[in-house]
Amino acid sequence: ANDMGFVTLVNDHQFTQRLDLLQFTPGRYFRLASATATTESHWTIGGLPSARTAQLSVNVTLHNSWQLIATTFANDLGGVNCVSCSRGGPVLTQSPKTGFRLDVIGDPRPSVVPRAAIRFGRSDVGRSWYRGADLATDVRSASRLSGTLSASFDHVVNDQQWVGNFGAVGRDSTHYTFGRLDQNILTLTGRANFTATPTLSFQLYAQPFVTTGHLSEWRELWHPRADSYADRFRPFSGPPGILNDFNVKQFNSNIVARWEYRPASALFVVWQQGRQQGDLNPGTFDAPRDVRDLFRAHPDNTLLVKISWWFNP
């Protein structure tokens, strides 16, 4: 398989079980309902447990065609090990991770369909956690015009963020270091599709993205296979300038015009704009300020033209 294409997971055996329960008979509170329970276990080729997960998802369609999806999960059960967390160093025992997600999807029949989601979870005996939410709207104002506007925000604290390895990898003197990353992630995404004629169409994509992070509590691996989370690390004092806070902002947009000037032959005109800004207010998050700073950055504009001609024999 590695010779046939890109392989995302190697050195792995896995065993998965799944049970589905489907309810097609309408009940008092719902039209359709289903539940899925899944467990999954992974081992390295040498037999080292590398992952154990359990997940339960319940999907309910109400009588008004609104949909509710609730998912809860638990990962890294039973003292499994991460073989890649130290980037070439020793395996690191993982503490259990738990999480929950709730999706609410509006009736798909009207021209405006709202969607929302919340999610939260914890790991590393409570030292790592995340909170997040999505809000989106699908709009079909006409048969020729449709679009989506969505916003997503996550506050993530990762107490086991890899920072860097210092020294020759594999030697006893090598320091495999980690830190505590407190990160905010904000994404706004807009999409639109307009068909002017059967042969002329336009597409729009735009996404401003902001992420900020503060790194602290620099530590190195000490007893990576210890049962106690605190015993796996010890404080580390390395070279200065490594634990840098960041505030990275990026904007990408595309407008595509497609004209099929003759059957099977088309002209594409694409305008792309990109903006990047990453040297202001490192480590602090303020959504209105950061978005303003992003759109004050100098834009990079690109114009692309592509034409195709179908030679009909």
Side-chain angles (χ1 to χ4, degrees), residues 39-151:
T39 63
E40 190 170 306
S41 299
H42 292 254
W43 300 267
T44 66
I45 301 301
L48 184 70
S50 56
R52 291 192 187 96
T53 67
Q55 178 175 295
L56 176 64
S57 180
V58 178
N59 189 328
V60 175
T61 300
L62 305 178
H63 288 292
N64 60 2
S65 294
W66 281 62
Q67 190 175 12
L68 306 176
I69 305 173
T71 303
T72 183
F73 67 87
N75 294 341
D76 294 338
L77 301 172
V80 300
N81 304 275
C82 179
V83 298
S84 61
C85 288
S86 61
R87 310 301 198 272
V91 298
L92 176 59
T93 296
Q94 299 293 288
S95 298
K97 301 175 175 64
T98 57
F100 177 80
R101 178 185 176 100
L102 176 64
D103 290 84
V104 180
I105 305 173
D107 184 351
R109 295 171 297 181
S111 58
V112 178
V113 182
R115 292 182 283 117
I118 59 171
R119 54 188 170 272
F120 53 86
R122 67 189 299 271
S123 59
D124 299 331
V125 295
R127 291 187 56 82
S128 298
W129 53 270
Y130 67 89
R131 306 285 187 273
D134 301 331
L135 187 63
T137 302
D138 299 327
V139 179
R140 295 188 303 271
S141 60
S143 60
R144 299 187 301 172
L145 178 62
S146 64
T148 300
L149 183 63
S150 63

Side-chain angles (χ1 to χ4, degrees), residues 163-186:
V163 174
N165 299 337
F166 298 90
V169 175
R171 294 187 178 180
D172 294 339
S173 59
T174 303
H175 303 278
Y176 304 94
T177 70
F178 295 78
R180 180 177 176 86
L181 175 62
D182 190 329
Q183 185 176 14
N184 295 283
I185 305 170
L186 174 66

Side-chain angles (χ1 to χ4, degrees), residues 144-273:
R144 299 187 301 172
L145 178 62
S146 64
T148 300
L149 183 63
S150 63
S152 175
F153 176 76
D154 288 278
H155 186 187
V156 181
V157 175
N158 183 3
D159 192 63
Q160 197 175 278
Q161 173 63 48
W162 178 78
V163 174
N165 299 337
F166 298 90
V169 175
R171 294 187 178 180
D172 294 339
S173 59
T174 303
H175 303 278
Y176 304 94
T177 70
F178 295 78
R180 180 177 176 86
L181 175 62
D182 190 329
Q183 185 176 14
N184 295 283
I185 305 170
L186 174 66
T187 303
L188 306 173
T189 305
R191 300 176 184 270
N193 301 281
F194 176 64
T195 302
T197 69
T199 59
L200 180 63
S201 63
F202 300 89
Q203 291 180 316
L204 166 68
Y205 167 83
Q207 183 187 74
F209 171 83
V210 177
T211 181
T212 67
H214 171 67
L215 271 167
S216 61
E217 301 185 25
W218 204 1
R219 292 156 292 145
E220 66 172 326
L221 289 184
W222 181 236
H223 296 298
R225 303 288 294 274
D227 293 333
S228 172
Y229 179 80
D231 293 339
R232 299 169 196 163
F233 306 92
R234 68 175 180 178
F236 178 72
S237 297
I242 301 298
L243 293 189
N244 293 321
D245 296 342
F246 58 87
N247 186 323
V248 177
K249 301 173 281 289
Q250 192 173 58
F251 173 74
N252 290 305
S253 67
N254 292 296
I255 297 178
V256 181
R258 179 185 184 276
W259 175 39
E260 189 173 350
Y261 56 91
R262 65 191 299 269
S265 300
L267 170 69
F268 295 87
V269 179
V270 181
W271 174 53
Q272 181 185 63
Q273 183 181 103

Side-chain angles (χ1 to χ4, degrees), residues 267-270 303-307:
L267 170 69
F268 295 87
V269 179
V270 181
L303 181 66
L304 303 174
V305 178
K306 174 185 175 181
I307 188 168

